Amino acid sequence: MIINTGGRTDTVNYYSDWLLNRFEEGYVYSRNPLFPNHITKYTLDPSVVDCVVFCSKNYRPIMSELYRITDRFNIFCHYTITAYGKDVEPNVPDIDQSIDTLVELSAKVGSKCVAWRYDPVLLTEKYTVDYHLKMFDYMASRLAPYVNFCVFSFVEMTRGSHTICQN
């Protein structure tokens, strides 16, 4: 079984203590967002969990205690670092702080266990194609030795909603 943390919220950034406690206790309950009365209990034990996947924009809150999970489980980390400022992502560390944290994370878990997510790519008057190309180049030059691959996607605005197209 693969346990994916961070699919619905940035658990690592906002709920690290809770997450660590769940792994200590050896189980977690998950409510189905489409069927709120459907609650599933998942056992968090290496005998049934093949890999724990983390998805976060900030690994700093769990960094010093991550060994409590990595010592027992195989892990893979998706680390989202984009080119946006506080106007778009007010609760995310700045780019250079995030890069430094990713480098530290990679040293702890190995570059084969870290993917950099540069997504979603949002095109605006401020965040132009040129801007993204320059920022992506800057980030890639610093991150390449510390990640396994990069994922990116674009926001496509449609009438009444938006769609994210992953590449």
Side-chain angles (χ1 to χ4, degrees), residues 27-84:
Y27 67 92
V28 65
Y29 290 105
S30 178
R31 184 181 304 274
N32 185 318
L34 298 177
F35 304 98
N37 293 329
H38 185 175
I39 299 171
T40 303
K41 181 179 180 179
Y42 292 99
T43 301
L44 302 176
D45 185 273
S47 66
V48 295
V49 174
D50 298 299
C51 186
V52 178
V53 177
F54 297 98
C55 302
S56 182
K57 292 184 177 189
N58 183 14
Y59 281 80
R60 180 59 50 205
I62 202 170
M63 194 67 74
S64 66
E65 298 293 321
L66 190 58
Y67 72 91
R68 292 169 51 189
I69 298 172
T70 61
D71 283 358
R72 297 178 51 222
F73 296 89
N74 296 314
I75 69 156
F76 192 85
C77 301
H78 288 272
Y79 199 139
T80 301
I81 306 175
T82 55
Y84 307 115

Short mmCIF file of all heavy atoms in Angstrom, two decimals, residues 27-84:
data_model
loop_
_atom_site.label_atom_id
_atom_site.label_comp_id
_atom_site.label_asym_id
_atom_site.label_seq_id
_atom_site.Cartn_x
_atom_site.Cartn_y
_atom_site.Cartn_z
N TYR A 27 -1.76 4.14 13.04
CA TYR A 27 -2.98 4.13 12.23
C TYR A 27 -3.43 5.57 11.98
O TYR A 27 -3.02 6.50 12.67
CB TYR A 27 -4.11 3.34 12.90
CG TYR A 27 -4.63 3.99 14.16
CD1 TYR A 27 -5.71 4.88 14.11
CD2 TYR A 27 -4.04 3.74 15.39
CE1 TYR A 27 -6.18 5.50 15.25
CE2 TYR A 27 -4.50 4.35 16.55
CZ TYR A 27 -5.56 5.23 16.47
OH TYR A 27 -6.02 5.84 17.60
N VAL A 28 -4.30 5.71 10.98
CA VAL A 28 -4.91 7.00 10.67
C VAL A 28 -6.30 6.74 10.11
O VAL A 28 -6.54 5.72 9.45
CB VAL A 28 -4.04 7.82 9.67
CG1 VAL A 28 -3.98 7.14 8.31
CG2 VAL A 28 -4.55 9.25 9.54
N TYR A 29 -7.22 7.64 10.42
CA TYR A 29 -8.55 7.59 9.83
C TYR A 29 -8.61 8.62 8.71
O TYR A 29 -8.08 9.73 8.84
CB TYR A 29 -9.63 7.92 10.86
CG TYR A 29 -9.83 6.86 11.90
CD1 TYR A 29 -9.34 7.03 13.18
CD2 TYR A 29 -10.50 5.67 11.59
CE1 TYR A 29 -9.51 6.05 14.15
CE2 TYR A 29 -10.67 4.69 12.54
CZ TYR A 29 -10.18 4.88 13.82
OH TYR A 29 -10.35 3.91 14.77
N SER A 30 -9.28 8.27 7.63
CA SER A 30 -9.44 9.19 6.50
C SER A 30 -10.90 9.22 6.08
O SER A 30 -11.51 8.18 5.83
CB SER A 30 -8.56 8.73 5.33
OG SER A 30 -8.74 9.59 4.22
N ARG A 31 -11.42 10.43 5.99
CA ARG A 31 -12.82 10.62 5.57
C ARG A 31 -12.85 10.82 4.05
O ARG A 31 -12.10 11.61 3.51
CB ARG A 31 -13.41 11.83 6.27
CG ARG A 31 -14.90 12.05 5.97
CD ARG A 31 -15.44 13.29 6.68
NE ARG A 31 -15.22 13.26 8.11
CZ ARG A 31 -16.04 12.69 8.99
NH1 ARG A 31 -17.14 12.09 8.58
NH2 ARG A 31 -15.78 12.72 10.29
N ASN A 32 -13.75 10.13 3.39
CA ASN A 32 -13.92 10.28 1.95
C ASN A 32 -14.60 11.63 1.69
O ASN A 32 -15.70 11.87 2.19
CB ASN A 32 -14.78 9.12 1.41
CG ASN A 32 -14.91 9.15 -0.09
OD1 ASN A 32 -15.09 10.19 -0.69
ND2 ASN A 32 -14.84 7.98 -0.69
N PRO A 33 -13.96 12.53 0.92
CA PRO A 33 -14.55 13.86 0.71
C PRO A 33 -15.86 13.83 -0.07
O PRO A 33 -16.68 14.72 0.08
CB PRO A 33 -13.47 14.63 -0.04
CG PRO A 33 -12.59 13.60 -0.64
CD PRO A 33 -12.67 12.38 0.24
N LEU A 34 -16.08 12.80 -0.87
CA LEU A 34 -17.32 12.70 -1.64
C LEU A 34 -18.44 12.03 -0.84
O LEU A 34 -19.61 12.28 -1.10
CB LEU A 34 -17.08 11.94 -2.94
CG LEU A 34 -16.10 12.60 -3.91
CD1 LEU A 34 -15.89 11.72 -5.13
CD2 LEU A 34 -16.56 13.98 -4.32
N PHE A 35 -18.06 11.19 0.08
CA PHE A 35 -19.03 10.48 0.92
C PHE A 35 -18.61 10.65 2.38
O PHE A 35 -17.94 9.79 2.95
CB PHE A 35 -19.09 8.99 0.54
CG PHE A 35 -19.39 8.76 -0.90
CD1 PHE A 35 -18.38 8.49 -1.82
CD2 PHE A 35 -20.70 8.84 -1.36
CE1 PHE A 35 -18.66 8.29 -3.16
CE2 PHE A 35 -20.99 8.64 -2.69
CZ PHE A 35 -19.97 8.36 -3.61
N PRO A 36 -18.94 11.79 2.99
CA PRO A 36 -18.44 12.15 4.33
C PRO A 36 -18.69 11.11 5.42
O PRO A 36 -17.97 11.08 6.41
CB PRO A 36 -19.16 13.45 4.65
CG PRO A 36 -19.60 13.99 3.33
CD PRO A 36 -19.81 12.81 2.43
N ASN A 37 -19.67 10.26 5.25
CA ASN A 37 -19.94 9.23 6.26
C ASN A 37 -19.04 8.01 6.09
O ASN A 37 -19.07 7.11 6.92
CB ASN A 37 -21.40 8.81 6.23
CG ASN A 37 -22.31 9.94 6.69
OD1 ASN A 37 -21.91 10.76 7.51
ND2 ASN A 37 -23.51 9.98 6.16
N HIS A 38 -18.28 7.96 5.01
CA HIS A 38 -17.39 6.83 4.75
C HIS A 38 -16.00 7.17 5.30
O HIS A 38 -15.29 8.00 4.75
CB HIS A 38 -17.32 6.55 3.25
CG HIS A 38 -16.54 5.33 2.93
ND1 HIS A 38 -16.43 4.84 1.67
CD2 HIS A 38 -15.80 4.49 3.69
CE1 HIS A 38 -15.67 3.76 1.67
NE2 HIS A 38 -15.27 3.53 2.89
N ILE A 39 -15.65 6.51 6.38
CA ILE A 39 -14.36 6.73 7.05
C ILE A 39 -13.59 5.42 7.01
O ILE A 39 -14.12 4.36 7.36
CB ILE A 39 -14.57 7.20 8.51
CG1 ILE A 39 -15.33 8.53 8.51
CG2 ILE A 39 -13.23 7.32 9.22
CD1 ILE A 39 -15.79 8.98 9.88
N THR A 40 -12.33 5.50 6.58
CA THR A 40 -11.49 4.32 6.47
C THR A 40 -10.33 4.43 7.44
O THR A 40 -9.72 5.48 7.58
CB THR A 40 -10.93 4.19 5.03
OG1 THR A 40 -12.02 4.16 4.11
CG2 THR A 40 -10.10 2.93 4.87
N LYS A 41 -10.04 3.33 8.11
CA LYS A 41 -8.87 3.26 8.99
C LYS A 41 -7.74 2.59 8.22
O LYS A 41 -7.90 1.51 7.67
CB LYS A 41 -9.19 2.45 10.25
CG LYS A 41 -8.02 2.37 11.21
CD LYS A 41 -8.37 1.58 12.47
CE LYS A 41 -7.19 1.51 13.42
NZ LYS A 41 -7.53 0.76 14.65
N TYR A 42 -6.58 3.28 8.17
CA TYR A 42 -5.40 2.74 7.50
C TYR A 42 -4.35 2.42 8.56
O TYR A 42 -4.05 3.24 9.43
CB TYR A 42 -4.82 3.75 6.51
CG TYR A 42 -5.72 4.00 5.33
CD1 TYR A 42 -6.55 5.12 5.30
CD2 TYR A 42 -5.76 3.12 4.25
CE1 TYR A 42 -7.38 5.35 4.23
CE2 TYR A 42 -6.60 3.35 3.18
CZ TYR A 42 -7.41 4.46 3.17
OH TYR A 42 -8.24 4.69 2.11
N THR A 43 -3.77 1.24 8.45
CA THR A 43 -2.70 0.82 9.34
C THR A 43 -1.39 1.40 8.82
O THR A 43 -1.07 1.25 7.64
CB THR A 43 -2.62 -0.72 9.41
OG1 THR A 43 -3.87 -1.21 9.89
CG2 THR A 43 -1.49 -1.18 10.31
N LEU A 44 -0.65 2.07 9.69
CA LEU A 44 0.63 2.66 9.32
C LEU A 44 1.74 1.81 9.92
O LEU A 44 2.33 2.13 10.96
CB LEU A 44 0.71 4.11 9.83
CG LEU A 44 -0.38 5.04 9.32
CD1 LEU A 44 -0.24 6.42 9.96
CD2 LEU A 44 -0.32 5.15 7.80
N ASP A 45 2.01 0.71 9.24
CA ASP A 45 3.02 -0.24 9.70
C ASP A 45 3.85 -0.68 8.48
O ASP A 45 3.27 -0.92 7.41
CB ASP A 45 2.33 -1.45 10.35
CG ASP A 45 3.33 -2.39 10.95
OD1 ASP A 45 3.83 -3.27 10.21
OD2 ASP A 45 3.63 -2.24 12.14
N PRO A 46 5.15 -0.79 8.63
CA PRO A 46 5.99 -1.19 7.49
C PRO A 46 5.61 -2.54 6.87
O PRO A 46 5.91 -2.78 5.71
CB PRO A 46 7.40 -1.24 8.09
CG PRO A 46 7.37 -0.35 9.27
CD PRO A 46 5.96 -0.48 9.81
N SER A 47 4.91 -3.36 7.62
CA SER A 47 4.51 -4.66 7.06
C SER A 47 3.41 -4.53 6.02
O SER A 47 3.21 -5.44 5.20
CB SER A 47 4.06 -5.61 8.17
OG SER A 47 2.87 -5.12 8.79
N VAL A 48 2.68 -3.41 6.01
CA VAL A 48 1.61 -3.21 5.04
C VAL A 48 1.80 -1.96 4.17
O VAL A 48 1.16 -1.84 3.13
CB VAL A 48 0.21 -3.14 5.71
CG1 VAL A 48 -0.14 -4.47 6.35
CG2 VAL A 48 0.13 -2.02 6.72
N VAL A 49 2.68 -1.05 4.59
CA VAL A 49 2.91 0.17 3.83
C VAL A 49 4.22 0.03 3.04
O VAL A 49 5.29 -0.12 3.63
CB VAL A 49 2.98 1.41 4.75
CG1 VAL A 49 3.38 2.65 3.97
CG2 VAL A 49 1.65 1.62 5.46
N ASP A 50 4.10 0.06 1.71
CA ASP A 50 5.28 -0.06 0.85
C ASP A 50 6.05 1.26 0.74
O ASP A 50 7.27 1.26 0.61
CB ASP A 50 4.87 -0.51 -0.55
CG ASP A 50 4.21 -1.87 -0.52
OD1 ASP A 50 4.88 -2.84 -0.11
OD2 ASP A 50 3.02 -1.96 -0.89
N CYS A 51 5.31 2.38 0.76
CA CYS A 51 5.94 3.68 0.62
C CYS A 51 5.01 4.76 1.16
O CYS A 51 3.79 4.67 1.02
CB CYS A 51 6.24 3.97 -0.87
SG CYS A 51 7.16 5.48 -1.18
N VAL A 52 5.62 5.79 1.76
CA VAL A 52 4.88 6.97 2.20
C VAL A 52 5.29 8.10 1.27
O VAL A 52 6.48 8.40 1.12
CB VAL A 52 5.21 7.34 3.66
CG1 VAL A 52 4.45 8.60 4.08
CG2 VAL A 52 4.91 6.19 4.60
N VAL A 53 4.30 8.70 0.63
CA VAL A 53 4.55 9.81 -0.29
C VAL A 53 4.13 11.10 0.39
O VAL A 53 3.01 11.21 0.89
CB VAL A 53 3.78 9.62 -1.62
CG1 VAL A 53 3.99 10.81 -2.54
CG2 VAL A 53 4.21 8.33 -2.30
N PHE A 54 5.05 12.04 0.40
CA PHE A 54 4.77 13.36 0.98
C PHE A 54 4.63 14.37 -0.15
O PHE A 54 5.37 14.31 -1.14
CB PHE A 54 5.92 13.81 1.89
CG PHE A 54 6.14 12.94 3.08
CD1 PHE A 54 7.12 11.97 3.07
CD2 PHE A 54 5.37 13.11 4.22
CE1 PHE A 54 7.33 11.17 4.17
CE2 PHE A 54 5.58 12.31 5.33
CZ PHE A 54 6.56 11.34 5.31
N CYS A 55 3.70 15.30 0.01
CA CYS A 55 3.53 16.41 -0.93
C CYS A 55 3.44 17.67 -0.08
O CYS A 55 2.52 17.81 0.73
CB CYS A 55 2.24 16.26 -1.73
SG CYS A 55 2.16 14.74 -2.67
N SER A 56 4.41 18.58 -0.26
CA SER A 56 4.43 19.76 0.59
C SER A 56 5.11 20.93 -0.11
O SER A 56 5.89 20.75 -1.04
CB SER A 56 5.16 19.47 1.90
OG SER A 56 5.14 20.60 2.75
N LYS A 57 4.79 22.13 0.38
CA LYS A 57 5.47 23.35 -0.05
C LYS A 57 6.45 23.83 1.01
O LYS A 57 7.10 24.86 0.84
CB LYS A 57 4.44 24.46 -0.33
CG LYS A 57 3.58 24.17 -1.54
CD LYS A 57 2.66 25.33 -1.83
CE LYS A 57 1.86 25.04 -3.10
NZ LYS A 57 1.12 26.22 -3.54
N ASN A 58 6.54 23.08 2.12
CA ASN A 58 7.46 23.48 3.18
C ASN A 58 7.74 22.29 4.09
O ASN A 58 6.91 21.93 4.91
CB ASN A 58 6.87 24.64 3.99
CG ASN A 58 7.80 25.14 5.06
OD1 ASN A 58 8.99 24.83 5.07
ND2 ASN A 58 7.28 25.91 5.99
N TYR A 59 8.91 21.72 3.96
CA TYR A 59 9.31 20.58 4.80
C TYR A 59 9.99 21.01 6.09
O TYR A 59 10.29 20.18 6.93
CB TYR A 59 10.24 19.65 4.00
CG TYR A 59 9.49 18.76 3.05
CD1 TYR A 59 9.06 19.24 1.82
CD2 TYR A 59 9.18 17.45 3.38
CE1 TYR A 59 8.36 18.44 0.94
CE2 TYR A 59 8.47 16.63 2.52
CZ TYR A 59 8.07 17.14 1.29
OH TYR A 59 7.37 16.33 0.43
N ARG A 60 10.23 22.30 6.26
CA ARG A 60 10.93 22.78 7.45
C ARG A 60 10.28 22.31 8.76
O ARG A 60 11.00 21.87 9.67
CB ARG A 60 11.04 24.31 7.40
CG ARG A 60 11.75 24.95 8.57
CD ARG A 60 13.19 24.52 8.81
NE ARG A 60 14.01 24.57 7.64
CZ ARG A 60 15.10 23.81 7.49
NH1 ARG A 60 15.49 22.98 8.43
NH2 ARG A 60 15.82 23.90 6.38
N PRO A 61 8.94 22.35 8.91
CA PRO A 61 8.35 21.97 10.20
C PRO A 61 8.60 20.52 10.63
O PRO A 61 8.55 20.22 11.82
CB PRO A 61 6.84 22.20 9.99
CG PRO A 61 6.78 23.23 8.93
CD PRO A 61 7.93 22.91 8.00
N ILE A 62 8.88 19.63 9.69
CA ILE A 62 9.06 18.22 10.04
C ILE A 62 10.51 17.77 9.94
O ILE A 62 10.86 16.66 10.34
CB ILE A 62 8.15 17.32 9.17
CG1 ILE A 62 7.91 15.97 9.85
CG2 ILE A 62 8.74 17.15 7.76
CD1 ILE A 62 6.85 15.12 9.19
N MET A 63 11.37 18.64 9.44
CA MET A 63 12.73 18.23 9.10
C MET A 63 13.48 17.55 10.25
O MET A 63 14.07 16.49 10.06
CB MET A 63 13.52 19.44 8.60
CG MET A 63 14.81 19.06 7.92
SD MET A 63 14.57 18.18 6.38
CE MET A 63 14.04 19.53 5.37
N SER A 64 13.44 18.11 11.43
CA SER A 64 14.22 17.55 12.54
C SER A 64 13.65 16.22 13.06
O SER A 64 14.37 15.46 13.72
CB SER A 64 14.33 18.55 13.69
OG SER A 64 13.06 18.78 14.26
N GLU A 65 12.40 15.94 12.76
CA GLU A 65 11.76 14.71 13.24
C GLU A 65 11.43 13.72 12.13
O GLU A 65 10.86 12.66 12.40
CB GLU A 65 10.46 15.07 13.99
CG GLU A 65 10.68 15.94 15.22
CD GLU A 65 11.45 15.23 16.33
OE1 GLU A 65 11.20 14.02 16.55
OE2 GLU A 65 12.30 15.88 16.96
N LEU A 66 11.80 14.03 10.91
CA LEU A 66 11.46 13.18 9.76
C LEU A 66 12.01 11.76 9.92
O LEU A 66 11.40 10.79 9.47
CB LEU A 66 11.97 13.81 8.46
CG LEU A 66 11.51 13.18 7.16
CD1 LEU A 66 10.00 13.18 7.05
CD2 LEU A 66 12.13 13.91 5.97
N TYR A 67 13.14 11.62 10.59
CA TYR A 67 13.74 10.30 10.81
C TYR A 67 12.76 9.33 11.48
O TYR A 67 12.86 8.11 11.30
CB TYR A 67 15.02 10.42 11.64
CG TYR A 67 14.78 10.75 13.08
CD1 TYR A 67 14.62 9.73 14.03
CD2 TYR A 67 14.67 12.07 13.52
CE1 TYR A 67 14.36 10.03 15.36
CE2 TYR A 67 14.41 12.37 14.85
CZ TYR A 67 14.26 11.35 15.76
OH TYR A 67 13.99 11.65 17.07
N ARG A 68 11.82 9.86 12.25
CA ARG A 68 10.84 9.00 12.93
C ARG A 68 9.99 8.23 11.92
O ARG A 68 9.44 7.17 12.25
CB ARG A 68 9.97 9.82 13.86
CG ARG A 68 10.76 10.37 15.06
CD ARG A 68 10.02 11.40 15.86
NE ARG A 68 8.68 11.02 16.27
CZ ARG A 68 7.82 11.88 16.84
NH1 ARG A 68 8.18 13.14 17.08
NH2 ARG A 68 6.62 11.48 17.18
N ILE A 69 9.90 8.75 10.72
CA ILE A 69 9.18 8.05 9.65
C ILE A 69 10.18 7.36 8.73
O ILE A 69 10.02 6.18 8.40
CB ILE A 69 8.28 9.03 8.87
CG1 ILE A 69 7.22 9.62 9.80
CG2 ILE A 69 7.62 8.32 7.68
CD1 ILE A 69 6.40 10.73 9.20
N THR A 70 11.23 8.07 8.33
CA THR A 70 12.18 7.50 7.36
C THR A 70 12.96 6.32 7.90
O THR A 70 13.42 5.48 7.13
CB THR A 70 13.17 8.57 6.85
OG1 THR A 70 13.92 9.08 7.95
CG2 THR A 70 12.45 9.70 6.14
N ASP A 71 13.13 6.22 9.22
CA ASP A 71 13.83 5.07 9.79
C ASP A 71 13.01 3.78 9.67
O ASP A 71 13.56 2.69 9.75
CB ASP A 71 14.15 5.31 11.28
CG ASP A 71 15.34 6.24 11.47
OD1 ASP A 71 15.95 6.67 10.48
OD2 ASP A 71 15.64 6.55 12.65
N ARG A 72 11.70 3.93 9.45
CA ARG A 72 10.83 2.75 9.40
C ARG A 72 10.21 2.49 8.03
O ARG A 72 9.80 1.37 7.74
CB ARG A 72 9.71 2.91 10.43
CG ARG A 72 10.23 2.98 11.86
CD ARG A 72 9.14 3.20 12.89
NE ARG A 72 8.05 2.27 12.76
CZ ARG A 72 6.76 2.61 12.86
NH1 ARG A 72 6.41 3.86 13.10
NH2 ARG A 72 5.82 1.70 12.74
N PHE A 73 10.08 3.55 7.21
CA PHE A 73 9.33 3.42 5.96
C PHE A 73 10.15 3.90 4.77
O PHE A 73 10.99 4.79 4.91
CB PHE A 73 8.04 4.28 6.02
CG PHE A 73 7.06 3.84 7.05
CD1 PHE A 73 7.12 4.35 8.35
CD2 PHE A 73 6.06 2.94 6.75
CE1 PHE A 73 6.22 3.96 9.32
CE2 PHE A 73 5.14 2.54 7.71
CZ PHE A 73 5.22 3.05 9.00
N ASN A 74 9.86 3.33 3.60
CA ASN A 74 10.35 3.91 2.35
C ASN A 74 9.53 5.17 2.12
O ASN A 74 8.32 5.18 2.35
CB ASN A 74 10.13 2.95 1.18
CG ASN A 74 10.93 1.68 1.33
OD1 ASN A 74 12.10 1.72 1.66
ND2 ASN A 74 10.28 0.54 1.11
N ILE A 75 10.18 6.23 1.64
CA ILE A 75 9.45 7.46 1.40
C ILE A 75 9.80 8.05 0.05
O ILE A 75 10.83 7.73 -0.55
CB ILE A 75 9.71 8.52 2.50
CG1 ILE A 75 11.14 9.04 2.42
CG2 ILE A 75 9.39 7.99 3.87
CD1 ILE A 75 11.29 10.41 3.04
N PHE A 76 8.92 8.92 -0.42
CA PHE A 76 9.18 9.74 -1.61
C PHE A 76 8.57 11.11 -1.33
O PHE A 76 7.44 11.20 -0.85
CB PHE A 76 8.56 9.13 -2.87
CG PHE A 76 9.06 9.81 -4.10
CD1 PHE A 76 10.25 9.42 -4.68
CD2 PHE A 76 8.36 10.87 -4.66
CE1 PHE A 76 10.74 10.06 -5.81
CE2 PHE A 76 8.84 11.53 -5.78
CZ PHE A 76 10.03 11.12 -6.35
N CYS A 77 9.33 12.16 -1.64
CA CYS A 77 8.90 13.53 -1.33
C CYS A 77 8.68 14.36 -2.58
O CYS A 77 9.61 14.51 -3.38
CB CYS A 77 9.96 14.22 -0.47
SG CYS A 77 10.32 13.38 1.07
N HIS A 78 7.49 14.87 -2.75
CA HIS A 78 7.21 15.89 -3.76
C HIS A 78 7.35 17.23 -3.06
O HIS A 78 6.66 17.48 -2.06
CB HIS A 78 5.79 15.76 -4.31
CG HIS A 78 5.60 14.58 -5.19
ND1 HIS A 78 5.85 14.63 -6.53
CD2 HIS A 78 5.20 13.32 -4.92
CE1 HIS A 78 5.59 13.45 -7.07
NE2 HIS A 78 5.20 12.63 -6.09
N TYR A 79 8.24 18.07 -3.56
CA TYR A 79 8.47 19.38 -2.94
C TYR A 79 8.09 20.45 -3.96
O TYR A 79 8.73 20.61 -4.98
CB TYR A 79 9.93 19.53 -2.55
CG TYR A 79 10.21 20.61 -1.51
CD1 TYR A 79 11.11 20.38 -0.49
CD2 TYR A 79 9.58 21.84 -1.56
CE1 TYR A 79 11.37 21.36 0.47
CE2 TYR A 79 9.83 22.82 -0.61
CZ TYR A 79 10.73 22.56 0.40
OH TYR A 79 10.98 23.54 1.33
N THR A 80 7.02 21.19 -3.68
CA THR A 80 6.56 22.24 -4.59
C THR A 80 7.29 23.54 -4.27
O THR A 80 7.18 24.05 -3.17
CB THR A 80 5.04 22.45 -4.47
OG1 THR A 80 4.39 21.22 -4.78
CG2 THR A 80 4.57 23.54 -5.42
N ILE A 81 8.05 24.02 -5.25
CA ILE A 81 8.70 25.32 -5.16
C ILE A 81 8.40 26.04 -6.47
O ILE A 81 8.83 25.59 -7.53
CB ILE A 81 10.22 25.22 -4.95
CG1 ILE A 81 10.55 24.36 -3.73
CG2 ILE A 81 10.82 26.63 -4.80
CD1 ILE A 81 12.04 24.13 -3.53
N THR A 82 7.67 27.11 -6.38
CA THR A 82 7.29 27.87 -7.57
C THR A 82 7.90 29.27 -7.49
O THR A 82 8.56 29.63 -6.53
CB THR A 82 5.77 27.98 -7.69
OG1 THR A 82 5.25 28.53 -6.49
CG2 THR A 82 5.14 26.61 -7.95
N ALA A 83 7.64 30.06 -8.51
CA ALA A 83 8.26 31.38 -8.65
C ALA A 83 7.41 32.51 -8.10
O ALA A 83 7.68 33.67 -8.39
CB ALA A 83 8.57 31.63 -10.12
N TYR A 84 6.40 32.19 -7.33
CA TYR A 84 5.46 33.21 -6.91
C TYR A 84 5.89 33.89 -5.62
O TYR A 84 6.55 33.30 -4.77
CB TYR A 84 4.06 32.62 -6.73
CG TYR A 84 3.62 31.88 -7.96
CD1 TYR A 84 3.42 30.52 -7.94
CD2 TYR A 84 3.47 32.55 -9.17
CE1 TYR A 84 3.06 29.83 -9.09
CE2 TYR A 84 3.10 31.87 -10.32
CZ TYR A 84 2.91 30.51 -10.27
OH TYR A 84 2.57 29.84 -11.40
#
